[in-house]
């Protein structure tokens, strides 16, 4: 007899990038419809991220009937090529998700994954769920709730529009930036920068930088790169020592920082 796929309903909820007040009304309503909330645990160094998810649930959930299931996220290997390491890591996370969906959720329940910022930006949750659905072993009904990304939060805190009239906006990783500044003429937002990519960039470029944006630990710096580069590197070092991790994003403007026409 053919095995039927395991039917599951899931909400992927963008929770905003670091401030509980970034939760939208839609996100709060989706959270309150969930019977099970899955909470990733990224180890002692990043306990603050788990804490923020708990804080969001405590603050916005009104029922008692929900179950919280914490799960450990494996460390990503940094030994091989970046894309290969990420693929292998995602395969491991996929196995964990499959176990959670099979064992921790019933067919009529809704399970919620709380995604940092917005699920569409540098986050693997949707891709992993897609792969699980594609195996045919699961029949997933996925609902996606957008969230306030770190990019939107950074722009708001610096009070700027990210692109000028008719210009493009590039969003890229620190790793890509280290390989060269894009020649689109437009602004560039950089995320996931664990490199020293900024060292290589023309000092005339204007930077609007933010770490832990939206949180009580927020740090903002703005200026010409040649004037603020060392200060940003120093703040990153201090942040790493204080928090164990740093989450920063910045927008680079090639024409001196104008955000008007
Ligand atoms: C794995 S990505 C997740 C992005 C997330 N989905 C979003 O919409 O912002 C993590 C990166 O997002 C950026 N980031 C997330 N939260 C941030 C915050 N509160 N302040 C500054 N950068 C942040 C950093 O570049 C960090 O390395």
């Amino acid at each position: 007899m053919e095995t039927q796929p395991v039917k599951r309903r899931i909400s992927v909820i963008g929770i905003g990038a670091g401030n509980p007040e970034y939760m939208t009304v839609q996100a709060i309503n989706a959270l309150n419809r969930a019977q099970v909330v899955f909470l990733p645990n990224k180890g002692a160094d990043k306990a603050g991220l788990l804490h923020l998810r708990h804080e969001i649930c405590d603050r916005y959930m009104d029922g008692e009937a929900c179950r919280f299931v914490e799960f450990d996220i494996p460390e990503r290997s940094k030994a091989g090529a970046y894309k290969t390491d990420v693929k292998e890591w995602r395969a491991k996370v996929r196995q964990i998700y499959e176990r959670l969906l099979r064992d921790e959720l019933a067919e009529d329940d809704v399970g919620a994954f709380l995604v940092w910022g917005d699920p569409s930006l540098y986050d693997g949750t949707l891709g992993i769920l897609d792969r699980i659905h594609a195996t045919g072993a699961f029949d997933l009904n996925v609902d996606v709730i957008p969230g306030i990304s770190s990019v939107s939060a950074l722009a708001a805190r610096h009070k700027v529009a990210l692109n000028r009239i008719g210009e493009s906006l590039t969003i890229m990783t620190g790793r890509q930036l280290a390989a060269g500044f894009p020649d689109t003429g437009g602004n560039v937002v950089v995320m996931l920068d664990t490199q020293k990519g900024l060292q290589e960039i023309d000092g005339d470029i204007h930077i609007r930088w933010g770490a832990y944006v939206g949180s009580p630990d927020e740090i903002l710096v703005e200026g010409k790169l040649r004037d603020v580069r060392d200060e940003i590197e120093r703040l990153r070092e201090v942040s790493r020592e204080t928090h164990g991790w740093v989450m920063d994003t910045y927008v680079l403007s090639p024409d001196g920082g104008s955000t008007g026409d």
Side-chain angles (χ1 to χ4, degrees):
M1 211 176 71
E2 215 175 284
T3 339
Q4 290 299 309
V6 178
K7 282 191 166 187
R8 292 293 183 257
R9 289 162 51 195
I10 299 151
S11 271
V12 176
I13 305 176
I15 60 169
N19 183 332
E21 293 191 1
Y22 289 162
M23 282 286 286
T24 65
V25 174
Q26 195 184 26
I28 294 170
N29 288 341
L31 190 57
N32 277 295
R33 281 194 297 271
Q35 280 73 40
V36 181
V37 177
F38 298 115
L39 298 164
N41 187 353
K42 298 186 175 178
D45 275 358
K46 296 193 174 168
L49 303 182
L50 178 63
H51 178 78
L52 188 104
R53 285 178 168 85
H54 275 295
E55 191 187 328
I56 283 173
C57 293
D58 288 348
R59 185 156 164 183
Y60 295 115
M61 292 185 84
D62 40 32
E64 303 268 299
C66 184
R67 232 161 34 85
F68 297 94
V69 177
E70 287 186 18
F71 61 99
D72 292 338
I73 293 278
E75 282 255 346
R76 179 168 62 76
S77 155
K78 294 187 173 107
Y82 176 70
K83 280 198 172 170
T84 314
D85 286 346
V86 172
K87 270 192 182 167
E88 282 171 7
W89 176 80
R90 280 196 179 189
K92 285 187 201 158
V93 178
R94 197 179 98 198
Q95 285 177 355
I96 297 170
Y97 278 22
E98 285 177 351
R99 178 181 58 74
L100 293 174
L101 295 175
R102 198 183 296 275
D103 300 344
E104 300 287 355
L105 202 60
E107 187 168 325
D108 294 331
D109 287 349
V110 177
F113 285 95
L114 308 188
V115 172
W116 194 264
D118 182 79
S120 71
L121 263 181
Y122 294 112
D123 185 86
T125 310
L126 294 177
I128 291 169
L129 292 174
D130 232 25
R131 289 294 288 268
I132 293 175
H133 185 81
T135 61
F138 287 83
D139 176 4
L140 300 183
N141 180 346
V142 179
D143 196 22
V144 182
I145 314 294
I148 294 180
S149 76
S150 52
V151 179
S152 303
L154 178 80
R157 296 298 293 138
H158 278 287
K159 305 178 188 172
V160 287
L162 288 175
N163 68 291
R164 288 158 299 196
I165 296 174
E167 283 191 0
S168 63
L169 172 71
T170 305
I171 301 181
M172 65 196 307
T173 64
R175 181 179 298 273
Q176 289 171 308
L177 181 69
F181 194 87
D183 60 0
T184 58
N187 289 344
V188 175
V189 170
V190 182
M191 302 172 77
L192 287 164
D193 187 5
T194 53
Q195 320 259 316
K196 297 243 173 196
L198 276 182
Q199 296 298 341
E200 309 300 323
I201 306 300
D202 180 352
D204 261 344
I205 286 178
H206 193 91
I207 184 168
R208 290 179 175 87
W209 179 83
Y212 315 105
V213 174
S215 81
D217 299 314
E218 177 181 276
I219 320 170
L220 301 174
V221 173
E222 176 179 358
K224 270 201 191 297
L225 251 180
R226 75 165 57 83
D227 300 328
V228 296
R229 184 160 24 208
D230 290 347
E231 175 63 357
I232 290 173
E233 287 307 339
R234 190 189 65 77
L235 288 167
R236 278 174 160 172
E237 277 309 309
V238 174
S239 300
R240 257 184 223 108
E241 278 163 27
T242 315
H243 302 274
W245 52 279
V246 59
M247 254 206 213
D248 61 339
T249 304
Y250 47 91
V251 53
L252 299 170
S253 306
D255 79 342
S258 142
T259 56
D261 296 347

